[in-house]
Amino acid sequence: MSISIYGLDVIQRRLQAIGGVLTDTKPILTEIGEATVESTKLRFKSSGPSPDGVPWKPLSASTIRNRRKGKGTGSAMPLLDTGRLRNSITKRVESNSVFIGTNVEYAAVHQFGASAYHPPQSRMVRLRVVKGRTRFAKDSHKKARTVWGTNSKGWTVNIPARPFLGFSQDDQAEIIGIIQRRISEAGAA
């Protein structure tokens, strides 16, 4: 009696292909990075939610008003005025890692939130009295007096956190799907 096994070479090639997928992770990481960048950019388009599902806080009325005066579109959508932050989201693939991020300097403020206190603004002013009324004076007026003037009260600007970087449950499922598909394709080769 003899037993012959045919097809071992096919199984061996499939195992080597799967091993190659697991050894050279750059193609998988590149695909994962591209999918994550796309998902992150979609968060901007739909005004959130953050990766953990928490909706982004809407913009304040004063922020919308100020946007309409500036260089941007005047959009009422959070994190989407000029599109600079959204368009800066990139991936970088290294040996066994993929990095998703941005080089925009204000990104951390939006990701984590921030508060900034603006102190009262003071300056020296020259005043003179004309017919019993106080007026601003030029440097050339000799009977003027110099005083410190404050033109505002201090105020605090609060920017709420609107996380845009991270992996949502959908992102995690897509990443698992990419890995499973790549291994399956390698095993079928």
Side-chain angles (χ1 to χ4, degrees), residues 53-82:
V54 176
W56 288 349
K57 290 194 180 211
L59 296 176
S60 69
S62 63
T63 300
I64 295 169
R65 215 175 20 255
N66 288 336
R67 278 185 171 190
R68 295 200 169 130
K69 293 178 190 174
K71 297 178 186 174
T73 62
S75 171
M77 296 172 67
L79 304 187
L80 192 61
D81 187 22
T82 64

Side-chain angles (χ1 to χ4, degrees), residues 61-136:
S62 63
T63 300
I64 295 169
R65 215 175 20 255
N66 288 336
R67 278 185 171 190
R68 295 200 169 130
K69 293 178 190 174
K71 297 178 186 174
T73 62
S75 171
M77 296 172 67
L79 304 187
L80 192 61
D81 187 22
T82 64
R84 180 176 175 220
L85 181 59
R86 178 197 58 206
N87 295 335
S88 73
I89 305 297
T90 59
K91 68 167 177 12
R92 187 177 80 234
V93 177
E94 292 184 4
S95 58
N96 288 324
S97 303
V98 61
F99 300 92
I100 312 298
T102 175
N103 62 354
V104 173
E105 51 288 333
Y106 55 81
V109 168
H110 294 297
Q111 179 77 12
F112 304 110
S115 290
Y117 176 70
H118 293 272
Q121 297 177 2
S122 300
R123 62 181 174 187
M124 286 184 16
V125 293
R126 291 179 44 85
L127 301 174
R128 64 189 175 112
V129 178
V130 177
K131 297 181 184 177
R133 298 186 71 183
T134 303
R135 306 273 189 208
F136 287 105

Side-chain angles (χ1 to χ4, degrees), residues 12-181:
Q12 187 174 7
R13 279 197 312 270
R14 286 184 180 172
L15 288 174
Q16 285 175 340
I18 291 170
V21 166
L22 298 177
T23 303
D24 181 17
T25 58
K26 193 167 186 174
I28 293 177
L29 293 175
T30 299
E31 189 174 347
I32 290 170
E34 289 168 354
T36 305
V37 166
E38 186 61 32
S39 171
T40 302
K41 288 182 176 183
L42 285 174
R43 283 190 194 104
F44 287 87
K45 193 173 186 177
S46 61
S47 293
S50 65
D52 60 1
V54 176
W56 288 349
K57 290 194 180 211
L59 296 176
S60 69
S62 63
T63 300
I64 295 169
R65 215 175 20 255
N66 288 336
R67 278 185 171 190
R68 295 200 169 130
K69 293 178 190 174
K71 297 178 186 174
T73 62
S75 171
M77 296 172 67
L79 304 187
L80 192 61
D81 187 22
T82 64
R84 180 176 175 220
L85 181 59
R86 178 197 58 206
N87 295 335
S88 73
I89 305 297
T90 59
K91 68 167 177 12
R92 187 177 80 234
V93 177
E94 292 184 4
S95 58
N96 288 324
S97 303
V98 61
F99 300 92
I100 312 298
T102 175
N103 62 354
V104 173
E105 51 288 333
Y106 55 81
V109 168
H110 294 297
Q111 179 77 12
F112 304 110
S115 290
Y117 176 70
H118 293 272
Q121 297 177 2
S122 300
R123 62 181 174 187
M124 286 184 16
V125 293
R126 291 179 44 85
L127 301 174
R128 64 189 175 112
V129 178
V130 177
K131 297 181 184 177
R133 298 186 71 183
T134 303
R135 306 273 189 208
F136 287 105
K138 296 180 181 177
D139 289 336
S140 60
H141 290 104
K142 295 184 181 189
K143 293 187 178 182
R145 60 189 168 101
T146 303
V147 296
W148 280 98
T150 301
N151 60 358
S152 71
K153 297 179 182 176
W155 72 92
T156 301
V157 174
N158 294 308
I159 300 173
R162 294 183 179 102
F164 54 92
L165 292 172
F167 298 104
S168 67
Q169 289 182 344
D170 290 343
D171 293 336
Q172 293 171 25
E174 185 173 4
I175 290 168
I176 290 168
I178 289 169
I179 294 168
Q180 288 174 338
R181 183 178 46 77

